[in-house]
Amino acid sequence: MTRKECVRRILGEFNAQPQHDSATAWAPANIALCKYWGKRNSELYLPQTSSLSVSLGDLGTQTTLSIASDCDMVVLNGHKVEPENAFARRLSAYLDLFRGDKPIFFHIDTANTVPTAAGLASSASGFAALVLALQSLYGWSLDGCHLSILARLGSGSACRSIYHGFVEWQAGIADDGFDSYAEPLPETWPDLRVGILTLSTAEKPIGSRQAMQHTLETSTLYRAWPQQVESDLPLLRRAIAERDLHLLGQTAENNALAMHATLLAARPAILYWLPESVQSIRTIHDLRKQGAAVYLTMDAGPNVKLLFEKNDVECIRERFPKVAIVSPFA
Amino acid sequence: MTRKECVRRILGEFNAQPQHDSATAWAPANIALCKYWGKRNSELYLPQTSSLSVSLGDLGTQTTLSIASDCDMVVLNGHKVEPENAFARRLSAYLDLFRGDKPIFFHIDTANTVPTAAGLASSASGFAALVLALQSLYGWSLDGCHLSILARLGSGSACRSIYHGFVEWQAGIADDGFDSYAEPLPETWPDLRVGILTLSTAEKPIGSRQAMQHTLETSTLYRAWPQQVESDLPLLRRAIAERDLHLLGQTAENNALAMHATLLAARPAILYWLPESVQSIRTIHDLRKQGAAVYLTMDAGPNVKLLFEKNDVECIRERFPKVAIVSPFA
């Protein structure tokens, strides 16, 4: 099954004509506590394993989609993007799935409140916001499950950015991916905080899609990754249900470091870490020895994110003066 | 089977009385190209997997063993070590295996040309030198296989430091470990160089024995480690037979990073790396992009070792002015 066939199956019953000239939508970025790492189908972005994330409150992407006359035009963070740019081409290729038989073009004005391509998953909030803007522009009334599948066809982890709060993406087993979508967990955790240490905003030497594929193909240790996820997911669900920060933090940290471990064991290795990444990890471990309940997670990049609770905000700010603190549930 | 029973089985046929008042022996340090990482029996130091190393020429340990009157005495690098010190107790406990029925004590004067406990495996050359000194003191005529087994009972990787050059330690399958010993490979490689970057000589936060056990017990990714070794060993043997530095270096680097990856995925993680470790790895990767044939390996510590050939010595010295260069076959 192709991406286009998936989209047709979902949209078959809906009107193929836009209902408005323009629509705006917003979606949150998300940070995985159990990572999506490895695809079983790279056309449909079907994952090897399930994953679990928390959406980042007011950090995310806002996108305005309008009907354009004779070609797509992309504006990113207020700057026009050349059509041959990889980002513009990826968006246009995704929008091809929705154009139907008649030629139709879009003006896409998108703005991130997270640094693009700095390991903060702006593609997740980006594709989720785009799907929500499409729903609004066309006047669909798709449910969350179908919106999540459509977002997944843009970027795997985008399927989780359809929702706020804790979100679990079931890997599914079907070849067509119709059982592979995200759902929100009912729990909230008002005191939970996520700290973001931006150590580098440089473009990554290798994007996460390529890194994931290279790891899957060459890292012997990756063979144990599905077992890692299998043991981490129930621990995370329990930690969330019991608001147990230690269990949440230990498990998320172990999962993230295990993901980086599979990258390190790839051949050749992919080392996203900077010296500053190691320094930050060591500082976090020191803080923990001193009694602070702070844990870390990392995505496919050099930046470090902190997990802690409201009562440790001052201690964290003192040790990491440049930290950006997000309240996912406040 | 206990360590003492192993020793008795090996020494049964030999005279239990020292033949000399004093004996001196020397053994080289070694660096594993395929790491010994995880025990299947921690009393007998039997490994989960086979391993392969190169001995470090004139870096190693010299030990003089003499008969003492009423207690053991240890001198390390010219300084007397208190008997309650962990190092002295470990040596005395090992020498207990050889004392037989009559009380006998030893003066052990041992000197390393590698920094103690800085990840350069001074315990490997230390126990190998001690076994060779015992053989000389007692006038045994044990073959390399039995000497290797005796050294293994002091510290696993010591079984490889009995030999110069490339050495392979067969894991074996027997419960008594009598098939678990090292043997030298016939090949030499006169142009091979090992560079040692000592980034820290501080004692490690956790010793490699404990780290190994913690990783085995808690690191899900460790489950794939035996497969890593199974694929790396034949590649290393081929690289050595064909003097193929690229294959040797790629494989040794991948193996070492995979070992660190299993540590990183332990729960809680063991992070031996310093910011300087990451900086060195990045510099080596940059050198390689510029065409230099230089690869790295690391043991359970923050230090980085380089693998290269004679013709790149100048380039390496320029980039790493403090590097110590060893010629294993010169």
Side-chain angles (χ1 to χ4, degrees), chain A residues 205 218-225 227-228 231-232 235 246-247 250-254 257-262 264-269 271-276 278-279 281-282 285 288 302, chain B residues 205 218-225 227-228 231-232 235 246-247 250-254 257-262 264-269 271-276 278-279 281-282 285 288 302:
Chain A
T218 71
S219 176
T220 301
L221 298 193
Y222 182 81
R223 297 176 198 177
W225 174 255
Q227 294 163 270
Q228 175 84 37
S231 81
D232 288 345
L235 294 175
H246 293 284
L247 184 59
Q250 277 173 354
T251 309
E253 180 165 322
N254 178 233
L257 293 178
M259 183 192 84
H260 279 267
T262 67
L264 207 58
R267 191 173 166 142
L271 176 64
Y272 278 122
W273 293 11
L274 298 171
E276 295 84 349
V278 169
Q279 193 53 62
I281 296 171
R282 289 182 161 263
H285 289 176
R288 219 147 66 209
Chain B
T218 70
S219 176
T220 301
L221 298 193
Y222 182 81
R223 298 177 198 175
W225 175 255
Q227 292 163 271
Q228 175 84 37
S231 82
D232 288 345
L235 294 175
H246 293 284
L247 185 59
Q250 277 172 353
T251 309
E253 180 166 322
N254 178 234
L257 294 178
M259 184 192 82
H260 278 267
T262 67
L264 207 59
R267 192 173 163 144
L271 176 64
Y272 278 122
W273 291 12
L274 297 171
E276 296 84 349
V278 169
Q279 193 52 62
I281 297 170
R282 288 181 163 264
H285 289 176
R288 221 148 65 210

Side-chain angles (χ1 to χ4, degrees), chain B residues 57-298:
Chain B
D58 54 7
L59 281 193
T61 301
Q62 174 157 306
T63 296
T64 298
L65 201 58
S66 326
I67 303 303
S69 50
D70 56 356
C71 68
D72 289 343
M73 193 177 118
V74 178
V75 174
L76 173 61
N77 297 329
H79 301 283
K80 190 175 176 306
V81 179
E82 294 305 318
E84 58 274 17
N85 173 287
F87 178 72
R89 284 193 287 127
R90 189 172 171 195
L91 283 187
S92 283
Y94 182 72
L95 289 168
D96 287 347
L97 304 173
F98 300 92
R99 294 186 217 263
D101 303 327
K102 287 190 206 162
I104 183 170
F105 298 100
F106 300 96
H107 181 282
I108 309 117
D109 188 340
T110 188
N112 296 320
T113 50
V114 292
T116 301
L120 279 158
S122 59
S123 71
S125 53
F127 279 99
L130 186 56
V131 165
L132 294 171
L134 281 164
Q135 156 121 315
S136 174
L137 188 79
Y138 279 86
W140 305 328
S141 50
L142 297 174
D143 62 11
C145 156
H146 281 138
L147 290 171
S148 179
I149 290 175
L150 290 181
R152 194 200 74 219
L153 297 174
S155 173
S157 55
C159 78
R160 296 186 312 238
S161 273
I162 293 292
Y163 301 105
H164 284 271
F166 295 112
V167 182
E168 187 167 343
W169 174 11
Q170 293 297 338
I173 53 165
D175 285 344
D176 61 15
F178 273 82
D179 58 354
S180 184
Y181 52 84
E183 287 181 304
L185 301 190
E187 290 90 349
T188 63
W189 193 329
D191 284 354
L192 185 68
R193 296 292 179 271
V194 177
I196 297 169
L197 301 177
T198 304
L199 305 173
S200 167
T201 55
E203 290 275 333
K204 294 184 281 187
I206 176 170
S208 58
R209 278 197 293 176
Q210 269 177 283
M212 197 183 267
Q213 195 57 27
H214 174 71
T215 301
L216 189 118
E217 286 167 7
T218 70
S219 176
T220 301
L221 298 193
Y222 182 81
R223 298 177 198 175
W225 175 255
Q227 292 163 271
Q228 175 84 37
V229 172
E230 210 172 302
S231 82
D232 288 345
L233 279 175
L235 294 175
L236 287 171
R237 285 189 212 109
R238 198 177 89 207
I240 291 166
E242 296 173 3
R243 289 192 188 166
D244 179 340
L245 184 76
H246 293 284
L247 185 59
L248 187 88
Q250 277 172 353
T251 309
E253 180 166 322
N254 178 234
N255 186 275
L257 294 178
M259 184 192 82
H260 278 267
T262 67
L263 282 158
L264 207 59
R267 192 173 163 144
I270 297 174
L271 176 64
Y272 278 122
W273 291 12
L274 297 171
E276 296 84 349
S277 313
V278 169
Q279 193 52 62
S280 302
I281 297 170
R282 288 181 163 264
T283 303
I284 292 159
H285 289 176
D286 283 348
L287 279 173
R288 221 148 65 210
K289 272 183 208 144
Q290 292 159 27
V294 53
Y295 296 86
L296 69 95
T297 180
M298 297 179 77

Side-chain angles (χ1 to χ4, degrees), chain A residues 49-209:
Chain A
T49 60
S50 298
S51 57
L52 195 155
S53 60
V54 61
S55 287
L56 287 184
D58 55 7
L59 280 193
T61 302
Q62 174 156 305
T63 296
T64 297
L65 202 58
S66 327
I67 304 301
S69 51
D70 56 355
C71 68
D72 289 342
M73 193 177 117
V74 177
V75 174
L76 172 62
N77 297 328
H79 301 283
K80 189 175 177 308
V81 179
E82 294 304 318
E84 59 274 17
N85 173 288
F87 177 73
R89 284 192 287 128
R90 189 171 171 195
L91 283 187
S92 283
Y94 181 72
L95 290 168
D96 286 348
L97 304 174
F98 300 92
R99 293 186 218 264
D101 302 329
K102 283 190 206 160
I104 182 171
F105 298 100
F106 301 95
H107 182 283
I108 309 117
D109 189 339
T110 188
N112 296 319
T113 50
V114 293
T116 301
L120 281 158
S122 59
S123 71
S125 52
F127 278 100
L130 186 57
V131 165
L132 294 171
L134 281 164
Q135 157 123 315
S136 173
L137 188 79
Y138 278 87
W140 306 328
S141 50
L142 296 174
D143 62 11
C145 156
H146 281 139
L147 290 171
S148 179
I149 290 175
L150 289 181
R152 195 199 74 219
L153 297 175
S155 173
S157 54
C159 77
R160 296 187 312 239
S161 274
I162 293 291
Y163 301 104
H164 285 271
F166 294 113
V167 182
E168 187 167 342
W169 174 10
Q170 294 296 338
I173 52 166
D175 284 344
D176 60 14
F178 274 83
D179 58 354
S180 184
Y181 52 84
E183 287 180 304
L185 302 190
E187 290 90 348
T188 63
W189 191 330
D191 284 354
L192 185 69
R193 297 292 179 272
V194 178
I196 297 168
L197 301 177
T198 303
L199 305 173
S200 167
T201 54
E203 290 275 333
K204 294 184 282 187
I206 175 171
S208 57
R209 278 197 293 177

